Amino acid sequence: MSAARRGPLLLGVRHHGPGSARAVRAALDEARPAAVLIEGPPEGDALLELAADPGMRPPVALLAHAADDPGRAAFWPLADFSPEWVAIRWAQQAGVPVRFMDLPAAHSLAAAGEPDADHAEPDAVRLDPLAVLAETAGYDDPERWWEDVVEHRGSGGEGGEALGAFEALGEAMGALRETYGDGGHHRDLVREAYMRQRMRAARREFGDGYAVVCGAWHVPALRAKTTVAADKALLTGLAKVKVETTWVPWTHRRLARAGGYGAGITSPGWYAHLFSARDRPVERWLTKVAGLLREEDRQVSSAHVIEAVRLAETLAAMRGRPLPGLTETLESVRAVMCDGSDIPLALIEDRLVVGDVLGEVPDGAPVVPLQRDLTRQQRSLRLKAEAQERELELDLRKDTDAAKSLLLHRLRLLGIGWGTPTASRSSTGTFRETWRLRWEPELSVRVAEAGIWGTTVLAAATAKAEADAAAAEELGEVTALAERCLLARLSEALPAVLRALADRAALDTDVARLAKALPALARSLRYGDVRGTDATALGAVAAGLAERICVALPPACAAGLDADAAAELRGHVDGVHGAVGLLADADDGLRERWSAVLRTLADRDTVPGVIRGRAARLLLDDGRLEAGETARLMGLALSPATSPADAAGWIEGFAGGSSGGGTLLVHDDRLLGLIDTWLVGVPERAFTDVLPLLRRTFGAYEPGVKRTLGELVRRGPAASAEAARATGSAPEGFAPDLDPERADAVTELVRMLLASPDGVAAA
């Protein structure tokens, strides 16, 4: 430490600034302090020695969470190019003490809400110091100003030059603090009071021969002359919680400001490159870009790289910049390598400007037992955590793939969303699963939270399932939980889940909830064959549920439902029908009982049209309704006595959605003719009301089906229907002429009504 310097060496930095990182290293090499204090929570001091472990590869973050509430957590991320990380590694290599000096996490986490990583309270008027300095210098972009004055000024220079840069930045921040005070960062006053306390302790131990690495904004406050009593007054009465800390992997993407990180930067991948590329950074960067584009099968040669470098340098010279910045390099890439298109440029910005680099933490880092078990299984199954999203195809007939599936399902039950199930593109069989995997740093907090349920993934998932079953209030929640338990093969949790399921099913009288619950149970029964899970215990519950639905559904559908309720029940009818198909193998009579229910729904005119139509269609598809009988039901539904809205609902139920109704109409002239005849006869005012429903019905058909139907209608399907009636194949009661016998059948009743003074009573 220079003898001429009075007081400690204060190095004010920009968090995650590679220029600041290089300057810190040069300044420390010059000053050779006896100790280094770093902005960060003192609870992390015991973990600093792990920074020297070969297994520690930034980006990483110091994680602190409340011991009794792991969800209350905060991160202190560090990258290779973070000045704080450079200072930590310098101190370890120089053999001098290094410590954190910020307000303890015990106080930060006890404060109301969850503090963000830079510990600033959310406030709309908070000052951005770099933005003010950039504007003062005539820049409209703080990032560009920072690049010009810091990042593009060599590699940190000699120690004296670096120290001069820190002095200048400290003076600039001092002017801002004089003008703006705390700038809206109110909690910084408390933090800075604690930092001064730590500096006093360091002075007693090392004299003035120590260095401080902190955000440049804090430097004026740390230089200010304050009394011990004043600082103690600011720290008196702070709430406190018990805290646990560890190191966790971090990602470049989560260093980005767009990810919600308060001290974030816009281009972590670019900054990592500037820090690692000590010479010719633009040329090396554009070479990386060319490699990425070649991987995407774009034709990019070395000539493109050379031309892009020339263009970037020309743009920088025209704009008076010392070197091309990110703006110039991206503009040259768009013009030279992307043919002016923003589509490949978006890929470059995502993969290289931001990036998906995921750090690593050594095995010696303290973790909850659950994390240790998860790490063991990840390695055993070769299921590596990666920051970049990827798809994982599993064949459940293979032992390793089945084990991966179980792990991912158990983690999902614990709320650890590492994997998300998605539709398989290669197969729809039950032995195939497709997952979309992406490891986010926040999942480390979720693992810590889930640690209260057990020390292994299996034990924790079992305990969590049992607790969820006891807390579930609706039948649907328990049936969904039963399905998830079978997917995760949690056999020890199933008894508790089944007890809860039986209790909820016995007490629930809402047929809609019963119908909503049955499909999940039916799906669950399939897993015994593919996953080796004993699902037979669900059979009795599912059968009892199906019986209750068969009894309760017809009355529920005739209870004066409005359009929305009828549409909801129509969906439940579909769900129960599919479930019955899965359950029928175990109960031969169930399919017959369900078919009788559908027949009741199709025949009963008090049932809303959308449900009657759907019931008729399901019977037809199952071969339990003849074509002639189907035409008769349609003819009744579309008769003049039926309101247009109810008739349109019948069509929607019978021919709507993705159920192949269009194909059916293409191949059955009688049904198409009935619909066409009804449609052209709908009064104008009523047609306006039913048009949205009809448009939804027919608009869902395949384009080819719609073209064919249009051609058939143009040729006259109504004429075909008339011909069918003339030949006697039309539905009974819909012949073109009056049937005298059927008309005479009501003569006697009409005569009685007309002769009685109270016709209704006589009838």
Side-chain angles (χ1 to χ4, degrees):
M1 181 82 63
S2 171
R5 181 175 300 280
R6 311 192 76 173
L9 175 63
L10 299 183
L11 304 178
V13 302
R14 181 188 187 185
H15 300 300
H16 318 304
S20 288
R22 289 192 298 267
V24 162
R25 185 162 51 201
L28 293 176
D29 283 339
E30 171 74 12
R32 310 299 299 181
V36 179
L37 301 185
I38 307 290
E39 183 179 331
E43 292 94 339
D45 284 353
L47 302 177
L48 281 171
E49 63 181 16
L50 287 172
D53 192 297
M56 181 77 85
R57 298 178 183 175
V60 293
L62 187 67
L63 165 63
H65 64 82
D68 59 350
D69 183 8
R72 299 178 67 182
F75 297 97
W76 285 260
L78 297 169
D80 272 324
F81 51 86
S82 298
E84 298 89 345
W85 181 261
V86 169
I88 291 170
R89 295 294 295 122
W90 182 93
Q92 289 173 331
Q93 292 165 1
V96 301
V98 56
R99 299 165 187 168
F100 286 122
M101 63 176 296
D102 205 347
L103 187 70
H107 298 309
S108 301
L109 296 178
E114 294 186 6
D116 59 17
D118 71 343
H119 317 295
E121 293 181 356
D123 192 320
V125 296
R126 288 186 304 171
L127 181 74
D128 181 349
L130 293 186
V132 175
L133 293 177
E135 184 179 359
T136 303
Y139 284 75
D140 59 1
D141 183 357
E143 294 294 327
R144 178 181 292 187
W145 173 79
W146 182 260
E147 281 190 345
D148 284 355
V149 301
V150 177
E151 305 304 338
H152 293 164
R153 297 299 181 185
S155 59
E158 299 296 329
E161 180 183 341
L163 292 172
F166 283 118
E167 288 292 336
L169 188 57
E171 291 176 6
M173 291 298 172
L176 290 178
R177 294 295 292 256
E178 288 180 8
T179 304
Y180 297 101
D182 62 21
H185 302 264
H186 307 307
R187 293 193 61 231
D188 282 352
L189 299 179
V190 178
R191 295 175 56 207
E192 289 159 354
Y194 188 85
M195 290 183 192
R196 289 191 291 266
Q197 295 280 53
R198 295 283 283 186
M199 289 173 64
R200 293 185 183 105
R203 184 178 293 114
R204 290 192 295 270
E205 186 174 356
F206 305 107
D208 284 338
Y210 66 93
V212 172
V213 179
C214 63
W217 175 253
H218 302 300
V219 168
L222 300 186
R223 282 180 176 162
K225 301 296 184 181
T226 59
T227 65
V228 174
D231 286 342
K232 282 185 177 180
L234 286 172
L235 299 170
T236 299
L238 292 179
K240 190 175 183 179
V241 296
K242 185 178 180 181
V243 167
E244 295 177 355
T245 56
T246 187
W247 289 106
V248 296
W250 203 251
T251 68
H252 277 177
R253 189 171 300 280
R254 295 301 294 170
L255 281 172
R257 187 177 295 126
Y261 171 40
I265 52 181
T266 59
S267 49
W270 167 251
Y271 273 9
H273 170 77
L274 290 181
F275 184 70
S276 61
R278 299 183 179 276
D279 66 316
R280 307 180 74 84
V282 176
E283 291 87 340
R284 296 181 187 278
W285 173 261
L286 291 173
T287 301
K288 279 186 181 180
V289 171
L292 174 62
L293 293 176
R294 289 188 192 114
E295 290 175 3
E296 298 298 319
D297 295 327
R298 293 187 67 89
Q299 299 298 319
V300 179
S301 67
S302 56
H304 287 90
V305 176
I306 294 170
E307 184 58 31
V309 171
R310 289 175 178 168
L311 178 56
E313 291 175 342
T314 301
L315 289 172
M318 292 175 60
R319 295 167 181 172
R321 307 193 68 184
L323 281 175
L326 182 60
T327 302
E328 287 73 29
T329 57
L330 290 181
E331 288 178 2
S332 66
V333 166
R334 179 194 286 111
V336 177
M337 299 183 185
C338 301
D339 300 323
S341 172
D342 286 334
I343 296 176
L345 192 69
L347 175 70
I348 294 166
E349 291 175 337
D350 182 70
R351 297 276 187 86
L352 295 181
V353 176
V354 177
D356 283 309
V357 177
L358 177 66
E360 296 181 17
V361 171
D363 294 337
V367 293
V368 295
L370 180 63
Q371 177 66 70
R372 200 169 291 118
D373 181 62
L374 173 57
T375 301
R376 179 189 61 77
Q377 293 195 51
Q378 287 174 322
R379 291 176 178 170
S380 173
L381 297 173
R382 298 182 179 178
L383 203 55
K384 186 178 180 181
E386 296 175 323
Q388 187 172 345
E389 186 174 277
R390 68 183 181 96
E391 273 197 359
L392 178 67
E393 291 276 356
L394 298 178
D395 183 342
L396 302 181
R397 297 169 296 185
K398 299 177 180 178
D399 291 342
T400 301
D401 282 7
K404 291 178 181 178
S405 172
L406 292 178
L407 175 62
L408 293 172
H409 278 295
R410 289 168 182 173
L411 291 176
R412 275 176 57 80
L413 197 147
L414 288 168
I416 304 169
W418 179 19
T420 303
T422 186
S424 176
R425 292 177 295 183
S426 59
S427 173
T428 58
T430 57
F431 60 86
R432 292 281 186 186
E433 265 188 0
T434 302
W435 291 81
R436 189 173 289 116
L437 300 183
R438 184 173 193 159
W439 186 267
E440 296 284 2
E442 289 82 358
L443 294 179
S444 298
V445 177
R446 304 284 84 81
V447 174
E449 287 181 301
I452 64 173
W453 298 108
T455 58
T456 67
V457 175
L458 174 59
T462 299
K464 180 70 162 52
E466 292 173 343
D468 288 348
E473 296 181 356
E474 293 189 4
L475 179 61
E477 296 178 40
V478 190
T479 54
L481 181 61
E483 183 176 14
R484 296 175 72 181
C485 285
L486 289 168
L487 288 167
R489 200 183 294 168
L490 301 179
S491 55
E492 293 186 9
L494 271 179
V497 175
L498 289 177
R499 283 195 301 271
L501 181 59
D503 292 344
R504 303 300 187 282
L507 296 174
D508 206 325
T509 58
D510 188 325
V511 69
R513 287 201 292 265
L514 296 176
K516 184 179 179 180
L518 184 62
L521 289 181
R523 288 194 303 268
S524 300
L525 292 172
R526 299 181 303 168
Y527 303 141
D529 294 336
V530 178
R531 301 170 185 273
T533 305
D534 184 8
T536 55
L538 289 175
V541 178
L545 213 59
E547 289 291 347
R548 293 179 61 195
I549 292 170
C550 288
V551 172
L553 188 58
C557 291
L561 301 175
D562 61 20
D564 291 339
E568 181 184 355
L569 267 181
R570 173 258 175 102
H572 291 320
V573 168
D574 278 343
V576 173
H577 186 74
V580 167
L582 296 173
L583 297 172
D585 291 339
D587 186 348
D588 294 336
L590 179 58
R591 195 186 298 274
E592 295 297 328
R593 292 191 292 276
W594 175 244
S595 295
V597 171
L598 291 177
R599 187 66 203 226
T600 299
L601 295 177
D603 287 338
R604 189 172 293 177
D605 57 6
T606 57
V607 173
V610 68
I611 299 177
R612 281 187 286 126
R614 193 62 190 154
R617 178 58 191 278
L618 294 175
L619 288 169
L620 178 65
D621 288 347
D622 280 355
R624 295 177 179 270
L625 199 62
E626 297 292 336
E629 179 65 6
T630 303
R632 186 187 74 82
L633 290 174
M634 180 179 284
L636 291 172
L638 304 184
S639 69
T642 305
S643 70
D646 199 47
W650 197 98
I651 296 173
E652 161 69 9
F654 183 83
S658 57
S659 59
T663 305
L664 178 66
L665 296 180
V666 165
H667 295 286
D668 196 318
D669 283 344
R670 290 179 300 173
L671 299 182
L672 181 59
L674 286 168
I675 292 177
D676 184 46
T677 301
W678 170 81
L679 191 58
V680 299
V682 174
E684 181 177 353
R685 182 175 300 177
F687 183 78
T688 303
D689 294 335
V690 302
L691 180 59
L693 185 59
L694 295 173
R695 181 173 292 167
R696 186 174 69 210
T697 301
F698 299 116
Y701 292 166
E702 294 283 342
V705 171
K706 286 191 281 190
R707 282 195 300 270
T708 304
L709 287 175
E711 186 66 22
L712 290 173
V713 171
R714 186 180 67 81
R715 294 175 183 172
S720 299
E722 290 295 333
R725 295 190 192 103
T727 59
S729 59
E732 185 179 356
F734 289 89
D737 299 321
L738 181 68
D739 185 338
E741 287 188 27
R742 292 174 64 84
D744 288 343
V746 300
T747 303
E748 186 63 28
L749 178 60
V750 172
R751 185 179 295 114
M752 292 173 59
L753 291 172
L754 294 175
S756 171
D758 186 358
V760 175

